[in-house]
Amino acid sequence: MADFPFRGIGFDLDGTLLDTFRDLGAAVNHALELGGFSPVSVESSKDLIGGGAKIMLARAVETQGGMPEEDFRALYKAMLDYYAEHNAVHTRPYPHAEEVLADLAARGVQMAVVTNKFEAFARKVLGDLRLDRHFVSVIGGDSMGRAADGSFLAKPAPDPVIEARKRCGGEAFAFVGDSSYDVRAARGAGVPVVVAGYGYCDAAPHELGGDAVIDSLGELVAALERL
């Protein structure tokens, strides 16, 4: 175990560690119904995930004609309020998540979550699922403050991945995620990235530009050893 190539690993959350689309889809539909829009099918909500809850809701609204910015902000707040109370109803870890996290911990690897979900939501769902003990840090979409343009410093910006590496000891570090946001953030941070091909990929997994693609979390340790 001493020759494992990485001392720190960062994980995306939605579509990488956790299968969250049902609860996210329910929150989107709650907001859409409040706004007078038609609900989307929960299965199709997988296609809307990526970049965080605000982008997810915006995509759903835009496909039905859009709405004024002020009204959208109120709808987004209603979605967040609903999700805060219902974010672990159907959400579950992907198969092998617990075993892989325990395996990496036994190898002395420090682990962090880097998600575009707000930090409080991420910490709550990880706590509800009893996975929080595995991580030295949880960095959410609102954790790094805002850029000069007022937007949160979240993926695909490299800042949260750079910070995760620092919090995991600043040594050899890799990232695991399922979207172009994750790959771009890892590339910007100068760290290798494994694509979770089983997740909510916004392009074909092998076209996202990762250093490796896995079809199950059970393949992660072997993939990292080959990097």
Side-chain angles (χ1 to χ4, degrees):
M1 292 188 180
D3 60 354
F4 192 69
F6 299 102
R7 307 316 306 156
I9 303 292
F11 288 91
D12 171 52
L13 199 60
D14 301 293
T16 299
L17 280 175
L18 304 182
D19 192 6
T20 60
F21 80 92
R22 293 175 184 84
D23 287 332
L24 286 166
V28 168
N29 279 337
H30 173 77
L32 289 174
E33 290 173 11
L34 287 177
F37 295 97
S38 299
V40 298
S41 75
V42 174
E43 284 294 326
S44 73
S45 68
K46 290 181 182 180
D47 299 329
L48 300 172
I49 296 174
K54 189 173 188 178
I55 291 176
M56 189 178 180
L57 179 61
R59 288 172 176 168
V61 168
E62 286 164 7
T63 61
Q64 298 187 52
M67 66 191 310
E69 179 62 28
E70 185 175 345
D71 294 339
F72 177 79
R73 285 198 296 269
L75 205 60
Y76 175 50
K77 184 180 184 304
M79 175 184 170
L80 293 181
D81 290 344
Y82 181 89
Y83 189 65
E85 300 299 324
H86 304 87
N87 63 6
V89 178
H90 302 290
T91 292
R92 296 292 182 270
Y94 279 106
H96 310 295
E98 183 69 52
E99 305 97 292
V100 168
L101 294 174
D103 184 349
L104 290 170
R107 296 169 187 266
V109 175
Q110 299 286 293
M111 291 173 282
V113 165
V114 181
T115 175
N116 281 358
K117 190 189 296 295
F118 282 0
E119 182 177 334
F121 292 164
R123 289 188 178 278
K124 180 180 184 301
V125 72
L126 286 167
D128 288 346
L129 297 175
R130 300 182 180 181
L131 293 177
D132 53 335
R133 67 187 186 280
H134 294 291
F135 301 103
V136 299
S137 183
V138 176
I139 300 174
D142 58 339
S143 300
M144 300 295 296
R146 296 182 183 271
D149 65 359
S151 62
F152 283 118
L153 278 172
K155 298 175 297 183
D159 305 71
V161 177
I162 293 170
E163 180 64 19
R165 180 179 184 175
K166 185 188 304 182
R167 295 183 189 182
C168 289
E171 299 181 57
F173 185 85
F175 195 68
V176 187
D178 69 318
S179 76
S180 61
Y181 287 77
D182 298 308
V183 174
R184 289 164 60 193
R187 291 287 180 241
V191 303
V193 56
V194 176
V195 172
Y198 53 84
Y200 311 140
C201 303
D202 52 350
H206 288 277
E207 295 176 2
L208 286 171
D211 297 287
V213 177
I214 56 173
D215 295 320
S216 161
L217 271 172
E219 301 173 6
L220 178 60
V221 171
L224 290 168
E225 289 177 324
R226 291 191 296 268
L227 293 182

